[in-house]
Amino acid sequence: MSMITGIPGSELSEADLLRELKHLHQTRHDTFLHGSPEALREHTARSFELEQEYVRRHPDRDVDPRRTREGARGESQDA
């Protein structure tokens, strides 16, 4: 059962959302390696919530073509 703590992503200002996402991305590896199962579940849930909020706010964000299946496949053929 997830009990995500923190202000809902939809209520965060743009600056706060970006700050929270940066912190989550910085702490992911350590949480993955050393966090309890509950900590990892909560970290994953909060990351997902805030990433989905970012995508909702920025549906037309720049997407690097190399970060798509088609682009990655084309790059591996060039190698």
Side-chain angles (χ1 to χ4, degrees):
M1 179 175 159
S2 181
M3 307 252 321
I4 298 175
T5 57
I7 298 170
S10 61
E11 295 178 19
L12 292 172
S13 69
E14 186 71 9
D16 289 339
L17 177 62
L18 291 173
R19 186 189 70 244
E20 290 293 316
L21 282 167
K22 182 177 180 179
H23 177 73
L24 285 166
H25 291 144
Q26 289 172 336
T27 59
R28 181 63 182 177
H29 188 70
D30 192 52
T31 303
F32 177 72
L33 292 178
H34 307 293
S36 68
E38 295 82 15
L40 184 57
R41 252 191 319 275
E42 291 305 311
H43 198 279
T44 299
R46 183 65 171 169
S47 296
F48 183 75
E49 176 199 5
L50 297 185
E51 288 170 350
Q52 291 302 302
E53 178 61 22
Y54 182 85
V55 169
R56 185 190 69 76
R57 291 183 191 187
H58 303 280
D60 297 324
R61 70 194 193 291
D62 287 333
V63 175
D64 183 337
R66 296 170 296 177
R67 303 298 293 175
T68 66
R69 284 182 190 232
E70 186 176 316
R73 285 185 184 129
E75 198 169 86
S76 66
Q77 293 171 0
D78 294 339

